[in-house]
Amino acid sequence: MKFISQSIPDVILIEPDIISDNRGYFIETYKQNILNKFLGYKTEFIQDNESKSFNGVLRGLHYQLYPFTQAKLVRVVQGKVLVVAVDLRKKSKTFSKYVSQEICSVKKKQLFIPRGFAHGFVVLSEVAIFNYKVDNYYSSKFERGIAFNDKDLSIDWKIHQKSLIISDKDKKNPLLSKTKDLFE
């Protein structure tokens, strides 16, 4: 596995070694000891989640507050998505900045998103199956969101806004400047 720090160094692109032959391929999608060694701290994933979405579906930008903050390891099992991670750590040099990365089922890359970030993705292919590991349990009481179309963030979702399919809940997410629930 190859680990590549992104423009926000705590967000890591992971490129697995793909072993291919006439039967197909094999990859190791996760090795806790190698990831923890690269990060310099221990992350222990406790739950796997999966969603199926269609072209233009945008999910996010979501995060959870303490004590349910989550680090995520995201990958695409089928299709292609644009993944976005927004830094919500108020004391960070990269506060309110974001990383976006296209990941797809062909290249098998993954993105590690640490705690303190909002996360979202939009489907760029006809269909996408999106899988992610989290290191803490979900709590609806502690769930929060940021508006996907916040002009201060200026995220390029690669799809025209009128073509996006967004849940009613995500349409109501506040602008970052109106959000009180951020991370120290």
Side-chain angles (χ1 to χ4, degrees):
M1 282 183 192
K2 185 176 175 184
F3 298 90
I4 304 163
S5 293
Q6 300 300 286
S7 58
I8 300 175
D10 298 332
V11 179
I12 311 298
L13 183 68
I14 301 170
E15 293 181 354
D17 296 323
I18 303 172
I19 302 168
S20 299
D21 63 21
N22 63 340
R23 300 169 295 161
Y25 70 87
F26 172 84
I27 61 171
E28 291 178 337
T29 60
Y30 174 66
K31 285 184 92 169
Q32 183 175 350
N33 61 333
I34 294 173
L35 178 61
N36 288 343
K37 182 177 179 183
F38 180 83
L39 294 174
Y41 61 89
K42 186 176 180 182
T43 297
E44 187 173 335
F45 294 110
I46 60 171
Q47 181 177 325
D48 281 3
N49 300 315
E50 184 171 288
S51 67
K52 178 180 180 180
S53 303
F54 303 101
N55 181 264
V57 168
L58 189 150
R59 297 181 186 261
L61 297 159
H62 303 143
Y63 64 101
Q64 291 201 155
L65 298 174
Y66 181 83
F68 291 95
T69 55
Q70 294 178 327
K72 297 177 180 178
L73 180 61
V74 304
R75 69 188 189 104
V76 175
V77 177
Q78 176 186 338
K80 180 165 104 174
V81 306
L82 177 75
V83 180
V84 174
V86 180
D87 191 347
L88 300 182
R89 303 168 299 175
K90 290 189 283 188
K91 295 180 181 177
S92 170
K93 291 178 185 176
T94 55
F95 173 72
S96 79
K97 304 295 185 216
Y98 72 90
V99 168
S100 66
Q101 185 67 237
E102 286 186 20
I103 59 174
C104 67
S105 56
V106 175
K107 294 186 178 179
K108 311 286 186 213
K109 295 178 183 178
Q110 300 176 71
L111 198 65
F112 173 79
I113 303 167
R115 291 179 178 206
F117 284 72
H119 160 254
F121 69 92
V122 66
V123 178
L124 302 176
S125 56
E126 187 175 319
V127 174
I129 297 176
F130 187 80
N131 183 281
Y132 57 102
K133 297 180 174 306
V134 293
D135 70 344
N136 204 349
Y137 295 110
Y138 170 78
S139 171
S140 61
K141 182 179 174 183
F142 291 86
E143 180 183 28
R144 298 293 186 273
I146 301 291
F148 73 94
N149 58 351
D150 187 325
K151 288 184 169 83
D152 289 340
L153 298 176
S154 297
I155 298 170
D156 179 3
W157 289 101
K158 307 289 186 193
I159 293 181
H160 192 277
Q161 188 170 331
K162 291 182 180 180
S163 300
L164 294 173
I165 303 165
I166 304 163
S167 73
D168 289 338
K169 182 176 87 171
D170 284 349
K171 288 178 184 176
K172 296 174 186 171
N173 285 338
L175 300 173
L176 180 59
S177 63
K178 303 288 185 193
T179 303
K180 293 177 178 32
D181 295 325
L182 299 173
F183 302 97
E184 291 301 320

Short mmCIF file of all heavy atoms in Angstrom, two decimals, residues 99-141:
data_model
loop_
_atom_site.label_atom_id
_atom_site.label_comp_id
_atom_site.label_asym_id
_atom_site.label_seq_id
_atom_site.Cartn_x
_atom_site.Cartn_y
_atom_site.Cartn_z
N VAL A 99 -10.42 19.01 0.73
CA VAL A 99 -9.75 18.10 -0.20
C VAL A 99 -10.84 17.43 -1.00
O VAL A 99 -11.86 17.03 -0.43
CB VAL A 99 -8.93 17.03 0.55
CG1 VAL A 99 -8.46 15.93 -0.39
CG2 VAL A 99 -7.75 17.65 1.27
N SER A 100 -10.66 17.34 -2.31
CA SER A 100 -11.57 16.54 -3.13
C SER A 100 -10.74 15.55 -3.93
O SER A 100 -9.64 15.88 -4.37
CB SER A 100 -12.42 17.43 -4.04
OG SER A 100 -11.63 18.08 -5.00
N GLN A 101 -11.28 14.37 -4.07
CA GLN A 101 -10.54 13.31 -4.75
C GLN A 101 -11.53 12.39 -5.46
O GLN A 101 -12.50 11.92 -4.85
CB GLN A 101 -9.73 12.51 -3.73
CG GLN A 101 -8.83 11.45 -4.29
CD GLN A 101 -7.68 12.00 -5.10
OE1 GLN A 101 -7.54 11.66 -6.26
NE2 GLN A 101 -6.86 12.84 -4.50
N GLU A 102 -11.30 12.16 -6.75
CA GLU A 102 -12.11 11.17 -7.46
C GLU A 102 -11.57 9.79 -7.11
O GLU A 102 -10.36 9.56 -7.20
CB GLU A 102 -12.04 11.39 -8.97
CG GLU A 102 -12.83 12.57 -9.44
CD GLU A 102 -12.87 12.71 -10.96
OE1 GLU A 102 -12.62 11.72 -11.68
OE2 GLU A 102 -13.16 13.83 -11.42
N ILE A 103 -12.47 8.91 -6.71
CA ILE A 103 -12.07 7.53 -6.49
C ILE A 103 -13.05 6.63 -7.23
O ILE A 103 -14.23 6.97 -7.39
CB ILE A 103 -11.96 7.15 -4.99
CG1 ILE A 103 -13.27 7.35 -4.25
CG2 ILE A 103 -10.85 7.94 -4.31
CD1 ILE A 103 -13.22 6.85 -2.81
N CYS A 104 -12.53 5.50 -7.70
CA CYS A 104 -13.37 4.63 -8.52
C CYS A 104 -13.04 3.16 -8.24
O CYS A 104 -12.02 2.84 -7.64
CB CYS A 104 -13.19 4.94 -10.00
SG CYS A 104 -11.55 4.54 -10.64
N SER A 105 -13.94 2.31 -8.72
CA SER A 105 -13.78 0.88 -8.50
C SER A 105 -12.66 0.28 -9.35
O SER A 105 -12.17 -0.81 -9.04
CB SER A 105 -15.10 0.16 -8.79
OG SER A 105 -15.56 0.44 -10.10
N VAL A 106 -12.23 0.96 -10.37
CA VAL A 106 -11.17 0.43 -11.24
C VAL A 106 -9.80 0.56 -10.58
O VAL A 106 -9.05 -0.41 -10.49
CB VAL A 106 -11.18 1.14 -12.62
CG1 VAL A 106 -10.00 0.68 -13.47
CG2 VAL A 106 -12.49 0.86 -13.33
N LYS A 107 -9.49 1.74 -10.09
CA LYS A 107 -8.16 1.98 -9.51
C LYS A 107 -8.07 1.59 -8.04
O LYS A 107 -6.98 1.50 -7.48
CB LYS A 107 -7.75 3.43 -9.70
CG LYS A 107 -7.57 3.77 -11.17
CD LYS A 107 -7.04 5.15 -11.37
CE LYS A 107 -6.84 5.40 -12.86
NZ LYS A 107 -6.34 6.73 -13.13
N LYS A 108 -9.22 1.40 -7.38
CA LYS A 108 -9.28 0.88 -6.00
C LYS A 108 -8.67 1.79 -4.94
O LYS A 108 -8.38 1.35 -3.84
CB LYS A 108 -8.63 -0.50 -5.91
CG LYS A 108 -9.06 -1.50 -6.95
CD LYS A 108 -10.42 -2.00 -6.67
CE LYS A 108 -10.79 -3.11 -7.64
NZ LYS A 108 -12.20 -3.11 -7.96
N LYS A 109 -8.46 3.07 -5.26
CA LYS A 109 -7.91 3.98 -4.26
C LYS A 109 -8.93 4.21 -3.16
O LYS A 109 -10.14 4.08 -3.37
CB LYS A 109 -7.52 5.31 -4.91
CG LYS A 109 -6.39 5.17 -5.90
CD LYS A 109 -6.08 6.50 -6.55
CE LYS A 109 -4.99 6.33 -7.59
NZ LYS A 109 -4.71 7.61 -8.28
N GLN A 110 -8.42 4.58 -1.98
CA GLN A 110 -9.26 4.88 -0.84
C GLN A 110 -8.83 6.22 -0.26
O GLN A 110 -7.72 6.68 -0.51
CB GLN A 110 -9.10 3.81 0.23
CG GLN A 110 -9.49 2.41 -0.25
CD GLN A 110 -9.23 1.38 0.82
OE1 GLN A 110 -9.94 1.34 1.80
NE2 GLN A 110 -8.22 0.55 0.63
N LEU A 111 -9.72 6.82 0.53
CA LEU A 111 -9.38 8.08 1.18
C LEU A 111 -9.64 7.94 2.67
O LEU A 111 -10.72 7.52 3.08
CB LEU A 111 -10.22 9.23 0.60
CG LEU A 111 -9.71 10.64 0.85
CD1 LEU A 111 -8.37 10.87 0.14
CD2 LEU A 111 -10.72 11.68 0.40
N PHE A 112 -8.61 8.28 3.45
CA PHE A 112 -8.75 8.32 4.91
C PHE A 112 -9.09 9.74 5.30
O PHE A 112 -8.37 10.68 4.96
CB PHE A 112 -7.45 7.88 5.60
CG PHE A 112 -7.51 8.06 7.09
CD1 PHE A 112 -8.18 7.14 7.89
CD2 PHE A 112 -6.91 9.16 7.69
CE1 PHE A 112 -8.25 7.32 9.26
CE2 PHE A 112 -6.98 9.35 9.07
CZ PHE A 112 -7.65 8.42 9.85
N ILE A 113 -10.20 9.90 6.03
CA ILE A 113 -10.66 11.21 6.49
C ILE A 113 -10.65 11.18 8.01
O ILE A 113 -11.40 10.41 8.62
CB ILE A 113 -12.08 11.51 5.96
CG1 ILE A 113 -12.08 11.44 4.43
CG2 ILE A 113 -12.56 12.86 6.47
CD1 ILE A 113 -13.46 11.41 3.81
N PRO A 114 -9.81 11.98 8.65
CA PRO A 114 -9.70 11.93 10.12
C PRO A 114 -10.90 12.60 10.81
O PRO A 114 -11.72 13.27 10.16
CB PRO A 114 -8.42 12.70 10.40
CG PRO A 114 -8.27 13.63 9.26
CD PRO A 114 -8.89 12.95 8.07
N ARG A 115 -10.95 12.45 12.10
CA ARG A 115 -11.96 13.14 12.90
C ARG A 115 -11.76 14.64 12.75
O ARG A 115 -10.65 15.11 12.54
CB ARG A 115 -11.84 12.74 14.37
CG ARG A 115 -12.23 11.30 14.62
CD ARG A 115 -12.07 10.94 16.08
NE ARG A 115 -12.50 9.56 16.30
CZ ARG A 115 -12.96 9.10 17.45
NH1 ARG A 115 -13.02 9.90 18.51
NH2 ARG A 115 -13.34 7.85 17.57
N GLY A 116 -12.86 15.39 12.86
CA GLY A 116 -12.78 16.84 12.74
C GLY A 116 -13.07 17.35 11.35
O GLY A 116 -12.89 18.54 11.07
N PHE A 117 -13.53 16.48 10.47
CA PHE A 117 -13.84 16.85 9.09
C PHE A 117 -15.29 16.54 8.76
O PHE A 117 -15.84 15.55 9.24
CB PHE A 117 -12.96 16.06 8.11
CG PHE A 117 -11.55 16.55 8.01
CD1 PHE A 117 -10.66 16.36 9.05
CD2 PHE A 117 -11.12 17.24 6.89
CE1 PHE A 117 -9.35 16.83 8.98
CE2 PHE A 117 -9.82 17.71 6.80
CZ PHE A 117 -8.94 17.50 7.85
N ALA A 118 -15.90 17.38 7.93
CA ALA A 118 -17.17 17.05 7.30
C ALA A 118 -16.84 16.27 6.04
O ALA A 118 -15.80 16.48 5.42
CB ALA A 118 -17.96 18.30 6.98
N HIS A 119 -17.74 15.38 5.66
CA HIS A 119 -17.49 14.49 4.54
C HIS A 119 -18.72 14.42 3.65
O HIS A 119 -19.85 14.42 4.13
CB HIS A 119 -17.14 13.09 5.08
CG HIS A 119 -17.32 12.01 4.08
ND1 HIS A 119 -18.38 11.13 4.13
CD2 HIS A 119 -16.59 11.67 3.01
CE1 HIS A 119 -18.28 10.29 3.11
NE2 HIS A 119 -17.21 10.61 2.43
N GLY A 120 -18.49 14.38 2.36
CA GLY A 120 -19.58 14.19 1.41
C GLY A 120 -19.04 13.59 0.12
O GLY A 120 -17.84 13.54 -0.10
N PHE A 121 -19.96 13.14 -0.72
CA PHE A 121 -19.55 12.64 -2.03
C PHE A 121 -20.69 12.82 -3.01
O PHE A 121 -21.86 12.92 -2.65
CB PHE A 121 -19.09 11.18 -1.97
CG PHE A 121 -20.16 10.17 -1.69
CD1 PHE A 121 -20.85 9.53 -2.72
CD2 PHE A 121 -20.49 9.81 -0.39
CE1 PHE A 121 -21.83 8.60 -2.47
CE2 PHE A 121 -21.46 8.87 -0.12
CZ PHE A 121 -22.14 8.25 -1.17
N VAL A 122 -20.32 12.86 -4.29
CA VAL A 122 -21.29 12.92 -5.38
C VAL A 122 -20.93 11.81 -6.37
O VAL A 122 -19.75 11.53 -6.62
CB VAL A 122 -21.31 14.30 -6.08
CG1 VAL A 122 -20.00 14.60 -6.79
CG2 VAL A 122 -22.49 14.42 -7.02
N VAL A 123 -21.96 11.17 -6.92
CA VAL A 123 -21.76 10.05 -7.85
C VAL A 123 -21.54 10.60 -9.26
O VAL A 123 -22.38 11.34 -9.79
CB VAL A 123 -22.96 9.09 -7.82
CG1 VAL A 123 -22.78 7.96 -8.84
CG2 VAL A 123 -23.16 8.53 -6.42
N LEU A 124 -20.41 10.22 -9.87
CA LEU A 124 -20.06 10.67 -11.21
C LEU A 124 -20.37 9.62 -12.27
O LEU A 124 -20.45 9.95 -13.46
CB LEU A 124 -18.57 11.03 -11.26
CG LEU A 124 -18.11 12.10 -10.27
CD1 LEU A 124 -16.60 12.29 -10.37
CD2 LEU A 124 -18.84 13.41 -10.50
N SER A 125 -20.53 8.37 -11.87
CA SER A 125 -20.86 7.29 -12.80
C SER A 125 -22.37 7.06 -12.80
O SER A 125 -23.11 7.72 -12.06
CB SER A 125 -20.12 6.01 -12.38
OG SER A 125 -20.43 5.69 -11.03
N GLU A 126 -22.83 6.12 -13.61
CA GLU A 126 -24.27 5.82 -13.66
C GLU A 126 -24.78 5.35 -12.30
O GLU A 126 -25.85 5.75 -11.85
CB GLU A 126 -24.52 4.76 -14.73
CG GLU A 126 -25.98 4.50 -14.99
CD GLU A 126 -26.21 3.54 -16.14
OE1 GLU A 126 -25.50 3.63 -17.16
OE2 GLU A 126 -27.12 2.69 -16.01
N VAL A 127 -24.02 4.48 -11.65
CA VAL A 127 -24.34 3.94 -10.33
C VAL A 127 -23.03 3.85 -9.55
O VAL A 127 -21.98 3.64 -10.14
CB VAL A 127 -24.96 2.53 -10.43
CG1 VAL A 127 -25.18 1.91 -9.06
CG2 VAL A 127 -26.26 2.55 -11.21
N ALA A 128 -23.11 4.00 -8.25
CA ALA A 128 -21.92 3.79 -7.42
C ALA A 128 -22.33 3.07 -6.14
O ALA A 128 -23.37 3.37 -5.54
CB ALA A 128 -21.24 5.11 -7.08
N ILE A 129 -21.49 2.13 -5.75
CA ILE A 129 -21.61 1.51 -4.44
C ILE A 129 -20.42 2.00 -3.64
O ILE A 129 -19.26 1.79 -4.02
CB ILE A 129 -21.65 -0.03 -4.52
CG1 ILE A 129 -22.90 -0.45 -5.30
CG2 ILE A 129 -21.64 -0.63 -3.11
CD1 ILE A 129 -23.03 -1.94 -5.53
N PHE A 130 -20.72 2.70 -2.57
CA PHE A 130 -19.75 3.42 -1.75
C PHE A 130 -19.67 2.71 -0.41
O PHE A 130 -20.68 2.47 0.24
CB PHE A 130 -20.24 4.86 -1.59
CG PHE A 130 -19.28 5.78 -0.93
CD1 PHE A 130 -18.22 6.33 -1.62
CD2 PHE A 130 -19.45 6.14 0.40
CE1 PHE A 130 -17.35 7.23 -1.02
CE2 PHE A 130 -18.59 7.04 1.01
CZ PHE A 130 -17.54 7.58 0.30
N ASN A 131 -18.45 2.37 0.01
CA ASN A 131 -18.25 1.63 1.24
C ASN A 131 -17.31 2.42 2.13
O ASN A 131 -16.34 3.00 1.64
CB ASN A 131 -17.64 0.26 0.90
CG ASN A 131 -17.45 -0.61 2.10
OD1 ASN A 131 -16.49 -0.43 2.83
ND2 ASN A 131 -18.33 -1.56 2.28
N TYR A 132 -17.62 2.47 3.43
CA TYR A 132 -16.70 3.16 4.32
C TYR A 132 -16.70 2.57 5.71
O TYR A 132 -17.71 2.09 6.21
CB TYR A 132 -16.95 4.67 4.37
CG TYR A 132 -18.33 5.12 4.78
CD1 TYR A 132 -18.56 5.59 6.07
CD2 TYR A 132 -19.38 5.08 3.89
CE1 TYR A 132 -19.82 6.04 6.45
CE2 TYR A 132 -20.64 5.53 4.27
CZ TYR A 132 -20.85 6.00 5.54
OH TYR A 132 -22.09 6.43 5.92
N LYS A 133 -15.52 2.58 6.29
CA LYS A 133 -15.30 2.15 7.66
C LYS A 133 -15.33 3.39 8.54
O LYS A 133 -14.86 4.44 8.13
CB LYS A 133 -13.93 1.47 7.81
CG LYS A 133 -13.76 0.21 7.01
CD LYS A 133 -12.37 -0.36 7.24
CE LYS A 133 -12.20 -1.70 6.58
NZ LYS A 133 -13.19 -2.68 6.92
N VAL A 134 -15.85 3.23 9.77
CA VAL A 134 -15.84 4.32 10.74
C VAL A 134 -15.29 3.81 12.06
O VAL A 134 -15.38 2.63 12.37
CB VAL A 134 -17.26 4.93 10.94
CG1 VAL A 134 -17.73 5.63 9.68
CG2 VAL A 134 -18.26 3.87 11.38
N ASP A 135 -14.70 4.73 12.82
CA ASP A 135 -14.08 4.33 14.09
C ASP A 135 -14.94 4.70 15.30
O ASP A 135 -14.46 4.66 16.42
CB ASP A 135 -12.68 4.92 14.22
CG ASP A 135 -12.67 6.42 14.44
OD1 ASP A 135 -13.70 7.08 14.20
OD2 ASP A 135 -11.62 6.94 14.85
N ASN A 136 -16.22 5.04 15.05
CA ASN A 136 -17.13 5.33 16.14
C ASN A 136 -18.55 5.09 15.63
O ASN A 136 -18.79 5.16 14.42
CB ASN A 136 -16.97 6.78 16.61
CG ASN A 136 -17.41 7.00 18.05
OD1 ASN A 136 -18.02 6.14 18.67
ND2 ASN A 136 -17.09 8.17 18.58
N TYR A 137 -19.46 4.85 16.53
CA TYR A 137 -20.83 4.55 16.14
C TYR A 137 -21.58 5.82 15.75
O TYR A 137 -21.28 6.91 16.22
CB TYR A 137 -21.57 3.82 17.26
CG TYR A 137 -20.97 2.47 17.52
CD1 TYR A 137 -20.26 2.22 18.68
CD2 TYR A 137 -21.12 1.44 16.59
CE1 TYR A 137 -19.70 0.97 18.91
CE2 TYR A 137 -20.57 0.20 16.81
CZ TYR A 137 -19.85 -0.03 17.97
OH TYR A 137 -19.29 -1.25 18.19
N TYR A 138 -22.57 5.66 14.92
CA TYR A 138 -23.42 6.76 14.47
C TYR A 138 -24.41 7.13 15.58
O TYR A 138 -24.96 6.27 16.26
CB TYR A 138 -24.19 6.34 13.22
CG TYR A 138 -25.27 7.32 12.83
CD1 TYR A 138 -24.95 8.50 12.17
CD2 TYR A 138 -26.60 7.07 13.14
CE1 TYR A 138 -25.94 9.41 11.82
CE2 TYR A 138 -27.59 7.97 12.80
CZ TYR A 138 -27.26 9.13 12.14
OH TYR A 138 -28.23 10.03 11.80
N SER A 139 -24.66 8.43 15.72
CA SER A 139 -25.67 8.93 16.64
C SER A 139 -26.42 10.07 15.96
O SER A 139 -25.81 11.11 15.66
CB SER A 139 -25.04 9.44 17.93
OG SER A 139 -26.01 10.12 18.71
N SER A 140 -27.69 9.90 15.70
CA SER A 140 -28.47 10.95 15.04
C SER A 140 -28.50 12.23 15.88
O SER A 140 -28.53 13.33 15.32
CB SER A 140 -29.89 10.47 14.76
OG SER A 140 -30.55 10.14 15.96
N LYS A 141 -28.45 12.08 17.20
CA LYS A 141 -28.47 13.25 18.09
C LYS A 141 -27.22 14.12 17.91
O LYS A 141 -27.27 15.34 18.09
CB LYS A 141 -28.56 12.77 19.54
CG LYS A 141 -28.62 13.88 20.56
CD LYS A 141 -28.74 13.31 21.97
CE LYS A 141 -28.66 14.42 23.01
NZ LYS A 141 -28.69 13.91 24.38
#
